[in-house]
Amino acid sequence: MKKFAFLLAGCLPGIVAVCQQAAPVSIIPEPVQMVQNAGVFTLPSTITIEAPILPAVKPILDMLQQRLSAATGYKVLFGNEMPSAILKLSLNKTADATIGIEGYRLNVSTTNITISANQPAGLFYGVQTLMQLLPAEIESKSVVQNVKWQAPCVTITDYPKVGWRGLMFDVSRHFFTKKEVKDFIDQMSKYKYNLFHWHLTDDEGWRIEIKSYPNLTKKGAWSVAKTGYFGTFSQPLPDEPKTNGGFYTQDDIKEVIQYAKDRFINILPEVDVPGHSMAAVASYPELSCTPGADKYDVIAGESFMDWSHGAPPIALKDNTLCPANEKVYVFLDKVMTEIAGLFPFEYIHVGGDECPKNFWEQSDAIKALMQKEGLKTMEQVQSYFEKRLEKIVESKGKKFMGWDEILEGGLAPNAAVMSWRGEKGGIEAAKLKHDVVMSPTTYAYLDYMQGDEIIEPRIYATLRLKKSYEFEPLLAGVDPKYIKGGQANLWSEQLYNVRHMQYMLWPRAFAIAECVWSPKEKKDWNHFVTKVEDQFKRYDIEQVKYAPSMYDPIFTAQNTNGQLQIELATEIEGLDIYYSFDNSFPDQYYPKYTAPLTPPKDAVMMKVITYRGNKPIGRMIAMPLAEMQKRAGLKK
């Protein structure tokens, strides 16, 4: 065999083996099987890598070279036949049935490291695990001095629990650039996610170039810039400039798809219809049933839905495509033609959620459609729309997927369902023998608050880290062959910048990663917390933001015989809570919380902070007692 050696940086190789005890292993997601052996492996100043030089493996080697050399300053050589290499990546000539398509075996000894897999994806995931075995400083983008570049000696056999391990990112409510999307993909790939659900259209912006309909991005991608609480903004004035937004050209889309492919991530595009379509309607009013749609603009965050009666909402402006309008199906056919031509993934997600129907109820065209087709309810009208759209999607060689509302009124014959309103929709669809992806709000909505609303940016619901860690995509009593997997969703109504996006994503996306990869019996909350803290150290070095909310106390207000009683708890073990009622800032010399508290009669503020030992670890939280009284149902 001809030898290849690509000299990325050259120096004399040297192997250093040190037999000493390593720190406990910390890997997210937890591997299926792992044995920690005695000793450590120490990286030499020239790192030699043997690997098959194949197109699918080359990006793995490029990533290894970049990450290993950036932080260590060491030289890296790789080739396809290097007998003395200290790191060997190999593809099995005979498939290893245990590890499947995405699994790997990793062995670190005091003299070398080997990673074997059936497919390149397994090598990639093995490399991600290896990176977590190295010191946190490996995340640095510049050389770090005085670090012992060692990995503990381990033997790992690892493979995923489910095949669909997804993160959804909404770039419609607030636009994120191509680079920011690539960074998102980089981060998710480190934790063995393999599906990027790209929410590309909504009321607040159409983000993908469709050459058949240029107005979708010429007009539909832009709105008036607003800051504050999304959903409460004032109505934009006619003369306010529409400077907020952006879109991806088709070349941008192709570039991101390849970028994700190099990290073994598929991209699921979502075009959300028939509701959530104001950007499309504002661009092409003829797609609406409603007179006056030609006056509509892309939503900038103002209120235009009445949720007081529950879901679906009552629309104050009609944000739907008209199921009775043949122009809609011509539009969707052309859009799906271009989407299918861009995205190689087998599915197209078509939304279908939260579709208001009050304007349909007033439409003569809809009434005529119902009479013609024998439709009795508005849910059946939407089902008619979904079934026609499924035929369009399938005509492009793709599979059809929607949110669980597409079950209402009758499910399209081959539709896959993404269950978001709890687990019920997923169970129902699986029993109907339809494929399902579980992404319930109960565990997987990462736009929800992570702690108390007194300190977190206000959202209408809370999802703490510990609850996310309870996610189980494979439900009892449901045939697992219909459960494709699970994912977490990050909606962007309140995401105004990348730093806050990161804050909302991590650490809860660590929890979901472990829930969709690791066996249920391998999950351990207390151990997971220590692993999260290890990832925090890495993120500090990498300068990625995360939420420290797991360190903050949980407040519970009770009405006890007409008196306010406050209970405090911690999400993680080993923390002490100190408090004050006198408006001063508590530390470890203040009273420690041990039992429910009744505030002094005239106190107005409670301040609390958590400590681990003698060091503060949580944020100082100021809780107005009026807020506690309100939560307890007490009047002043």
Side-chain angles (χ1 to χ4, degrees):
M1 183 183 291
K2 186 178 179 181
K3 294 182 180 180
F4 296 87
F6 294 84
L7 182 57
L8 300 177
C11 191
L12 289 175
I15 298 174
V16 180
V18 181
C19 289
Q20 63 187 66
Q21 187 58 44
V25 175
S26 176
I27 299 168
I28 295 176
E30 186 70 20
V32 175
Q33 295 174 0
M34 178 170 60
V35 177
Q36 186 168 359
N37 304 310
V40 297
F41 174 84
T42 301
L43 285 176
S45 58
T46 293
I47 301 166
T48 48
I49 305 171
E50 181 181 278
I53 308 301
L54 301 171
V57 177
K58 182 64 163 56
I60 302 173
L61 297 173
D62 290 342
M63 182 270 290
L64 258 174
Q65 187 276 332
Q66 188 276 323
R67 292 193 68 189
L68 289 173
S69 62
T72 66
Y74 291 175
K75 318 303 188 278
V76 178
L77 282 157
F78 62 75
N80 70 346
E81 192 174 321
M82 302 180 73
S84 62
I86 58 97
L87 171 56
K88 294 188 178 184
L89 309 181
S90 63
L91 292 172
N92 299 322
K93 293 179 180 178
T94 302
D96 181 340
T98 299
I99 61 176
I101 295 173
E102 295 181 293
Y104 63 93
R105 294 184 189 271
L106 167 63
N107 185 71
V108 179
S109 72
T110 57
T111 57
N112 63 27
I113 301 168
T114 61
I115 303 173
S116 63
N118 293 329
Q119 298 290 336
L123 295 180
F124 181 80
Y125 297 132
V127 165
Q128 298 306 328
T129 295
L130 175 60
M131 290 297 106
Q132 292 191 43
L133 292 173
L134 292 168
E137 289 82 3
I138 199 68
E139 306 298 340
S140 174
K141 296 177 175 63
S142 58
V143 175
V144 184
Q145 303 292 343
N146 303 316
V147 175
K148 291 182 179 180
W149 296 109
Q150 297 176 335
C153 292
V154 293
T155 303
I156 293 174
T157 300
D158 202 13
Y159 48 87
K161 177 164 65 179
V162 294
W164 184 300
R165 304 182 303 280
L167 276 179
M168 188 281 288
F169 189 23
D170 167 16
V171 296
S172 178
R173 273 49 180 272
H174 285 101
F175 179 69
F176 290 82
T177 66
K178 179 175 62 176
K179 182 186 182 304
E180 291 164 348
V181 170
K182 285 181 175 182
D183 290 344
F184 186 101
I185 289 169
D186 268 333
Q187 291 306 122
M188 64 184 281
S189 75
K190 292 181 180 182
Y191 305 98
K192 304 183 177 73
Y193 284 104
N194 68 351
L195 194 288
F196 176 56
H197 176 170
W198 208 355
H199 185 83
L200 289 162
T201 76
D202 216 296
D203 300 309
E204 293 78 16
W206 185 286
R207 304 301 181 201
I208 179 169
E209 177 190 21
I210 301 296
K211 293 181 179 179
S212 304
Y213 291 93
N215 270 6
L216 289 171
T217 47
K218 185 178 180 181
K219 181 175 182 178
W222 305 96
S223 66
V224 174
K226 298 277 189 177
T227 302
Y229 278 118
F230 184 96
T232 67
F233 296 150
S234 57
Q235 292 288 332
L237 301 174
D239 59 346
E240 284 189 272
K242 296 178 175 62
T243 57
N244 182 54
F247 65 94
Y248 312 104
T249 67
Q250 294 198 1
D251 285 342
D252 291 335
I253 296 289
K254 292 174 185 175
E255 184 180 331
V256 173
I257 289 169
Q258 184 60 48
Y259 193 85
K261 182 182 178 184
D262 288 345
R263 288 147 184 81
F264 299 89
I265 290 173
N266 286 309
I267 299 185
L268 169 70
E270 182 183 356
V271 174
D272 200 348
V273 290
H276 288 284
S277 295
M278 185 62 86
V281 171
S283 303
Y284 293 95
E286 62 269 25
L287 300 175
S288 177
C289 287
T290 301
D294 57 323
K295 303 295 193 298
Y296 287 167
D297 278 316
V298 176
I299 298 299
E302 69 274 20
S303 175
F304 74 111
M305 291 286 165
D306 178 2
W307 290 93
S308 63
H309 303 280
I314 296 172
L316 308 180
K317 296 178 182 177
D318 185 8
N319 71 335
T320 67
L321 304 184
C322 180
N325 185 346
E326 286 303 311
K327 291 179 182 178
V328 165
Y329 302 103
V330 174
F331 168 81
L332 290 170
D333 185 85
K334 291 182 178 179
V335 168
M336 292 303 162
T337 295
E338 296 192 35
I339 296 283
L342 286 168
F343 290 89
F345 190 54
E346 60 183 327
Y347 282 96
I348 295 175
H349 198 302
V350 298
D353 60 312
E354 299 177 332
C355 179
K357 300 175 175 69
N358 52 297
F359 281 96
W360 291 1
E361 291 168 350
Q362 301 166 25
S363 168
D364 290 338
I366 293 289
K367 291 173 184 175
L369 173 69
M370 294 177 73
Q371 185 171 5
K372 178 185 174 184
E373 299 293 334
L375 307 175
K376 304 299 183 185
T377 67
M378 289 299 142
E379 287 71 29
Q380 289 179 358
V381 172
Q382 181 169 347
S383 177
Y384 167 86
F385 171 90
E386 303 293 353
K387 289 171 182 175
R388 286 194 64 175
L389 180 53
E390 180 185 65
K391 289 180 180 178
I392 292 171
V393 169
E394 290 181 342
S395 75
K396 314 305 173 190
K398 298 296 184 181
K399 297 179 181 178
F400 175 98
M401 177 176 281
W403 301 108
D404 56 58
E405 282 95 334
I406 66 173
L407 283 157
E408 298 167 2
L411 192 56
N414 303 312
V417 172
M418 192 167 278
S419 185
W420 74 278
R421 296 179 299 176
E423 298 167 336
K424 180 182 176 184
I427 294 169
E428 181 182 344
K431 287 183 177 178
L432 293 170
K433 299 183 177 180
H434 286 256
D435 286 339
V436 172
V437 174
M438 299 302 300
S439 60
T441 58
T442 326
Y443 309 101
Y445 263 46
L446 305 188
D447 57 310
Y448 287 3
M449 293 182 293
Q450 303 179 72
D452 199 284
E453 64 183 283
I454 206 69
I455 192 169
E456 299 287 349
R458 179 168 52 84
I459 310 289
Y460 58 89
T462 299
L463 174 63
R464 297 193 76 111
L465 176 63
K466 190 172 186 179
K467 188 68 177 179
S468 284
Y469 194 65
E470 295 171 6
F471 180 44
E472 176 49 59
L474 298 177
L475 302 173
V478 177
D479 190 335
K481 76 178 182 180
Y482 295 112
I483 306 294
K484 297 185 73 66
Q487 74 174 43
N489 300 328
L490 183 60
W491 300 100
S492 68
E493 286 94 335
Q494 308 293 352
L495 301 185
Y496 293 92
N497 56 65
V498 167
R499 298 297 286 175
H500 191 58
M501 175 267 283
Q502 294 171 346
Y503 177 94
M504 299 303 288
L505 197 60
W506 313 107
R508 290 179 297 185
F510 297 148
I512 300 298
E514 191 150 300
C515 293
V516 294
W517 179 280
S518 307
K520 189 175 182 179
E521 61 271 17
K522 298 291 289 188
K523 290 170 59 181
D524 179 286
W525 166 248
N526 290 330
H527 179 49
F528 175 72
V529 169
T530 67
K531 295 193 298 181
V532 167
E533 294 188 295
D534 288 337
Q535 293 300 319
F536 285 173
K537 295 171 188 174
R538 291 172 175 267
Y539 272 12
D540 286 340
I541 292 166
E542 196 179 356
Q543 298 181 340
V544 173
K545 196 170 186 178
Y546 54 84
S549 311
M550 70 179 191
Y551 298 120
D552 295 335
I554 301 168
F555 293 83
T556 303
Q558 302 283 357
N559 179 347
T560 304
N561 299 320
Q563 267 197 321
L564 173 63
Q565 191 173 72
I566 299 172
E567 295 180 12
L568 301 175
T570 58
E571 187 171 13
I572 65 177
E573 294 182 1
L575 304 185
D576 295 318
I577 306 172
Y578 296 94
Y579 65 92
S580 72
F581 286 110
D582 62 4
N583 309 315
S584 63
F585 300 96
D587 56 23
Q588 75 270 36
Y589 297 101
Y590 276 64
K592 182 167 75 172
Y593 176 83
T594 57
L597 300 168
T598 300
K601 179 180 178 181
D602 296 322
V604 297
M605 183 70 68
M606 181 183 195
K607 289 180 181 171
V608 300
I609 191 167
T610 55
Y611 271 65
R612 178 181 281 157
N614 292 321
K615 292 186 177 180
I617 195 165
R619 296 173 285 191
M620 180 74 68
I621 298 179
M623 174 63 74
L625 292 178
E627 172 65 20
M628 287 282 90
Q629 289 170 332
K630 178 182 174 183
R631 295 183 192 183
L634 288 164
K635 295 181 180 180
K636 289 184 180 180

